[in-house]
Amino acid sequence: MSRRAIELCLLQVDDLYGDLISRVFEVLLQHGRLTYPALLNHSGLLPKQLKTGLAVLIQHHLVQWYIPDGQPSASYEADWEAAYDLVRSGKLLSTVRDRLGSTAEKIFSSVLLQEYTRVDEILKAYGEKSQSSPSTHKTAGKNNVKPHSVNGEHNSSQSEPQHSKIALKLQELIDAAFLMVVHPSHFRPKADNITEAENELTGPTGLFPTKLKAVEKLTFDSNLRDKLKEWRYDAQNLSGFGNTKKRTNGVMGFDGPPGKKRKVNGMGISVIDEEPLSRISSQAILRVNAEKLPVTLRNKMLVRLVQHRIGRPCAQLYGAVLDEASRDLPCCHPNLGLSALIDADDEEVLLNQSTHQIAGKTKDKIDLSASLGDTATNHTSVDPMIHPKKRRRRLSSDEESIDNIAIHEDDDDRINGDDDYLDRPPQRTSQIATHENLVQQNLLLLSEHPYRFLTHHSGTASVPETWTIKYHPLVSRLRLIELENIVLNRYGAPGLRIIRILLEKGKLDEKALGAMSLLNQKILRSILTTMNEAGHLELQEIPRDNNRQPSRTMFLWFFDPERCRLKVLEETYQAMARCLQRRRVEKEKVQVVVDKSLRTDVVGREDELLSRDEREVLGRWRAMEEILLGEVARLDDLVAVLRDF
């Protein structure tokens, strides 16, 4: 973990939870994994204060703990990724509101504030809110009848629709992977989860085989990865809290008892029509899945790229395909703490749908009639082997022959007794494209693009054609585009030209690079020096003999996208921390006015209880805060591209 990321996480924890909590979190970030006595020694806090801080941090998933076998006390470790996710709270709420509505947003916000919430507590809390609505009490008070009662007796049937609605929204949040069921592995550090998974896989003996063959090692690593994924993302299946919507070959299918009725939702997906309460265990504990947000951000970035490269209608179709592919996807890539070789999937194929299914789900939502250009109306095929002058002569001769035919035609043309036959526009069956054909042509366009937005798998007589998405090359392309934009903004077009040449050719010396880039040696040397000092270009020295004299040494310039990505990521962390620090400094200047505006008797009555000068100061502060937080949100999008996708 870098120093800039630590600074950013501490600012977030300090702003939200105060000095005491941030002090405990800072000690764990600086010293790493500590036991309770060591943490008490390094923090300098009283035992009561330390226990309070640890309780708050564990509740909000900022600190993980584990008690090894044979040790009396637990070990605590800070989770800096969870602390960074505090920046994305607003984006998570906005995403849930856009996809699932305001009711789901309220439920999600309550779980987000408490971090861990039981299902029956949510149902009870929102059921009480619906029963004690002001309008109901007002109407009942006029008739001297208790709220929600008939003839003086309590009527519980009125609260059942609201109860079912909340339960249904909870199920939708879990199906969309915004909420997930808590598992004991969520409280443990990643290294300890790996240890527990290995102990479970090795059997009752608990002895890990030291010498394994290559095939056995691969099988064991695969089982280990599957076990960690099951603990982290599929805890609802372990606790009997599974989804009723199941996928069959990447498509939501109907798999339920024969007595249940089948419904089709807005995307044409079959679901089981049963009571939502029967699908939810009231004792299940839910938590927020912050890893879902990068999935939605990645879809938006890819749709924006398609719109820039191809067009808007094709981008809308691609967005619908991405949304369907990531409907219940919990994360971009599982962060399990394993090595890169084991943690990475062999192939990121997340969609497997036929053209007919995609066309059926987008028929009434996307208009693709203007997505592709009209077919050529001339009758001459364009042969690339024909010279352009000869091609123009043939076209002109064809036009003259058509005109001559039209002159010699009789004015009163009747074909089979039809007077208006020649006045009708020619209807070609090849030009009358159905929606499914348009969808197929746009999907082929996406698959044939150099970026390979889709992968096409041809069908047979029994198997329809399918489309798959491979995210890894697309994410690499998105990162490279972001790096190129940064280089272009900092060093101009010459810097971008140098980067692209080095990416294509590899390592080059200054002379060869100057000849390819067509830049003056003085300008080229200044740009190379500046980019090298910033860490965006690397220089390799290759001596020709053992003396290592500069005159007998070759200096090769090269561009490493991975090093540049890490450097830009550190700079982004630093910029976000500076924005939050500036927000804190500006708030301290007007702290008195801000505190007064946050009083319960002033909220909503600022025009009456605040003076003109105070309102102006408060308006300037809120405008500046909006600018700074907006910049933090934009920088977070860059972090998502460079780190989370």
Side-chain angles (χ1 to χ4, degrees), residues 6-223:
I6 292 176
E7 183 181 6
L8 176 60
C9 294
L10 287 177
L11 286 171
Q12 282 291 314
V13 175
D14 190 27
D15 289 341
L16 293 177
Y17 304 109
D19 297 336
L20 176 62
I21 310 301
S22 63
R23 173 60 182 164
V24 180
F25 191 70
E26 182 181 4
V27 171
L28 288 173
L29 285 178
Q30 290 179 351
H31 297 277
R33 185 168 182 161
L34 295 174
T35 59
Y36 180 78
L39 184 58
L40 188 64
N41 184 24
H42 287 291
S43 63
L45 299 174
L46 297 176
K48 183 178 180 180
Q49 294 175 336
L50 180 59
K51 291 179 181 179
T52 302
L54 285 176
V56 174
L57 290 172
I58 292 173
Q59 178 185 359
H60 292 276
H61 205 264
L62 299 176
V63 166
Q64 298 170 333
W65 60 277
Y66 180 68
I67 302 179
D69 296 336
Q71 293 189 9
S73 61
S75 299
Y76 300 94
E77 183 177 341
D79 188 359
W80 72 273
E81 295 178 352
Y84 178 84
D85 289 336
L86 296 174
V87 181
R88 299 174 172 175
S89 301
K91 289 183 180 180
L92 276 169
L93 290 173
S94 178
T95 304
V96 172
R97 182 178 64 251
D98 295 340
R99 292 189 59 177
L100 302 177
S102 59
T103 304
E105 180 195 7
K106 294 178 182 178
I107 299 173
F108 186 81
S109 63
S110 64
V111 180
L112 182 64
L113 289 175
Q114 301 179 13
E115 190 63 35
Y116 301 103
T117 308
R118 206 165 57 239
V119 172
D120 57 353
E121 295 178 354
I122 298 176
L123 298 177
K124 181 179 178 181
Y126 281 90
E128 291 177 353
K129 288 182 181 179
S130 63
Q131 293 179 11
S132 60
S133 59
S135 60
T136 307
H137 284 284
K138 184 176 180 181
T139 306
K142 291 181 180 180
N143 301 325
N144 296 324
V145 180
K146 292 183 180 181
H148 298 283
S149 63
V150 178
N151 297 327
E153 296 182 358
H154 183 72
N155 184 16
S156 61
S157 61
Q158 297 182 6
S159 62
E160 291 181 359
Q162 181 70 15
H163 196 265
S164 300
K165 181 180 179 181
I166 298 301
L168 183 60
K169 287 297 180 181
L170 270 176
Q171 185 65 43
E172 290 179 359
L173 285 168
I174 295 171
D175 291 341
F178 286 105
L179 294 179
M180 59 183 178
V181 179
V182 175
H183 188 266
S185 63
H186 296 166
F187 296 93
R188 295 192 296 254
K190 298 174 184 177
D192 298 318
N193 282 331
I194 295 174
T195 303
E196 291 290 334
E198 289 177 349
N199 294 336
E200 185 172 337
L201 291 176
T202 51
T205 58
L207 298 176
F208 183 77
T210 56
K211 294 183 179 181
L212 291 176
K213 297 181 180 180
V215 179
E216 295 177 352
K217 180 67 169 128
L218 291 176
T219 305
F220 183 83
D221 292 342
S222 178
N223 295 334

Side-chain angles (χ1 to χ4, degrees), residues 201-266:
L201 291 176
T202 51
T205 58
L207 298 176
F208 183 77
T210 56
K211 294 183 179 181
L212 291 176
K213 297 181 180 180
V215 179
E216 295 177 352
K217 180 67 169 128
L218 291 176
T219 305
F220 183 83
D221 292 342
S222 178
N223 295 334
L224 177 63
R225 182 180 58 191
D226 294 340
K227 176 62 68 176
L228 293 175
K229 284 183 180 180
E230 185 181 16
W231 284 356
R232 185 169 181 84
Y233 302 110
D234 295 332
Q236 61 268 23
N237 297 331
L238 298 177
S239 60
F241 191 64
N243 303 340
T244 57
K245 295 188 292 184
K246 299 182 179 180
R247 283 188 179 270
T248 304
N249 293 329
V251 184
M252 293 288 188
F254 177 77
D255 187 10
K260 297 298 180 181
K261 186 180 178 182
R262 189 166 94 171
K263 283 186 177 181
V264 179
N265 63 0

